[in-house]
Amino acid sequence: PSLDLSEVLPNPAKAYLIKQGCDLKLHHRVTECVIEQNECLGVKVGETFIPAKQVVMACPLTVSQKLLN
């Protein structure tokens, strides 16, 4: 490709989210998405709970399915 692929989606998405006031936590291995009554409460990174009303998962579909079940 003539363009670095990170310039196509990841970097612009990151810049947009930061501009919107999002608190991004990058390079964390999420072990569980905590959902109660169809509402996202946050994620677990190991034993640590990180509260979040919204979560962006940048992983393959099969990994997302495991985290959501």
Side-chain angles (χ1 to χ4, degrees):
S2 61
L3 181 66
D4 179 359
L5 292 181
S6 63
E7 297 301 323
V8 176
L9 181 64
N11 290 347
K14 177 182 172 185
Y16 174 80
L17 291 170
I18 290 170
K19 187 176 179 181
Q20 298 303 310
C22 294
D23 179 21
L24 298 181
K25 305 239 185 274
L26 305 175
H27 309 291
H28 285 69
R29 187 171 294 260
V30 172
T31 53
E32 181 183 351
C33 236
V34 180
I35 299 170
E36 290 182 8
Q37 298 177 345
N38 291 325
E39 183 179 343
C40 177
L41 300 180
V43 296
K44 280 191 175 180
V45 177
E47 295 299 316
T48 304
F49 176 73
I50 301 174
K53 291 186 177 189
Q54 300 162 335
V55 175
V56 175
M57 288 192 253
C59 56
L61 176 62
T62 54
V63 175
S64 296
Q65 289 170 327
K66 287 178 185 176
L67 291 171
L68 293 172
N69 288 326

